[in-house]
Amino acid sequence: PSARIISRAILLIITSLLLSNHALADERAFADETPEEMMKALIAEVKSTGSPVAIIERVDWTTAFAQTLPEYRKGIGVKTPAELKDFYRSMFENPNAVMKEKLASKMDSLPPAKQAALEVLMMRVEASMKEHKQSEMDKLRRSKINVIGSKIDGDKATVEFESLLDGKTKTQTVQLIKVDNQWRFPTLQWDKALEKIAVPAVQQQTK
């Protein structure tokens, strides 16, 4: 028995070292990227997976947390950058379950009419988010995206890219910041609609 325990312990140590080395290799790869390379790699990953989850790993969550409206943070029940990251990851995977979890303690104290109204509201928000996500991913898959160039100013960078969709060309820019020698998004700019509409609407129903 002792030999098996030792063998398992050694296996766990080797596994943890391999995972640690893999994580370090990923960090070194990110650190070597230019702003343009970062955007190209991200676009390719999102297109290949059909999911925007890869964006989450490219956000500096300390900065994103600081830039998130205090009332929004309170509304979704997050107190740290790590909790904000977990919230968004969960929202991508199962938004309705997240909203129900956040509001579970309040639901029981609401009168039946408001509980029913809140359930309907959450279903509408989930349907709207799902439709928006599918629409955006469909556009991304059909788009031809070319990174045109970038401008670096210290620890900040602007990357310009051009997208061609249905015969129409659109030029856009994204802002990046350098944190721990890696280029990252400072905020989730594409989430403003949810920030301004969905959360206040849910809060109104729980009053």
Side-chain angles (χ1 to χ4, degrees), residues 16 72 95 103 114 188:
S16 64
Y72 183 48
L103 296 170
K114 280 211 168 186
L188 296 174

Side-chain angles (χ1 to χ4, degrees), residues 12-190:
L12 285 172
I13 292 170
I14 293 173
T15 302
S16 64
L17 286 172
L18 287 173
L19 290 173
S20 176
N21 288 336
H22 179 70
L24 290 172
D26 286 344
E27 289 182 5
R28 285 195 293 268
F30 283 175
D32 291 337
E33 286 180 330
T34 66
E36 292 181 42
E37 290 170 342
M38 180 273 208
M39 284 300 301
K40 287 178 181 178
L42 179 59
I43 291 169
E45 185 173 358
V46 172
K47 273 196 167 190
S48 65
T49 60
S51 170
V53 172
I55 297 171
I56 290 176
E57 300 303 327
R58 300 285 193 157
V59 174
D60 178 54
W61 289 99
T62 299
T63 304
F65 182 82
Q67 294 186 8
T68 302
L69 296 174
E71 55 267 34
Y72 183 48
R73 297 201 301 259
K74 182 179 179 181
I76 61 177
V78 299
K79 298 179 180 179
T80 66
E83 288 180 356
L84 184 64
K85 177 181 179 179
D86 289 341
F87 170 78
Y88 276 104
R89 182 182 294 279
S90 299
M91 283 294 282
F92 279 135
E93 296 170 351
N94 194 339
N96 200 38
V98 174
M99 294 179 72
K100 283 185 177 180
E101 180 186 350
K102 296 293 182 183
L103 296 170
S105 60
K106 296 182 179 180
M107 285 284 283
D108 293 338
S109 63
L110 293 175
K114 280 211 168 186
Q115 287 188 28
L118 188 56
E119 288 280 359
V120 172
L121 176 62
M122 287 193 295
M123 286 190 291
R124 288 177 178 172
V125 170
E126 181 186 22
S128 177
M129 290 177 62
K130 185 177 181 180
E131 181 181 354
H132 177 72
K133 178 183 174 181
Q134 289 176 340
S135 174
E136 291 302 308
M137 292 308 300
D138 178 63
K139 289 179 182 177
L140 180 61
R141 281 190 291 267
R142 293 188 292 112
S143 296
K144 182 179 180 181
I145 303 174
N146 294 314
V147 176
I148 301 173
S150 63
K151 182 179 180 182
I152 300 175
D153 183 11
D155 289 336
K156 297 181 180 180
T158 302
V159 180
E160 185 177 16
F161 62 96
E162 184 180 76
S163 60
L164 176 64
L165 175 64
D166 299 333
K168 296 180 180 179
T169 301
K170 185 177 183 180
T171 301
Q172 294 176 283
T173 59
V174 293
Q175 306 299 318
L176 302 175
I177 59 173
K178 200 170 191 179
V179 180
D180 295 331
N181 207 32
Q182 298 175 21
W183 291 104
R184 297 187 175 273
F185 295 107
T187 185
L188 296 174
Q189 299 171 340
W190 36 265

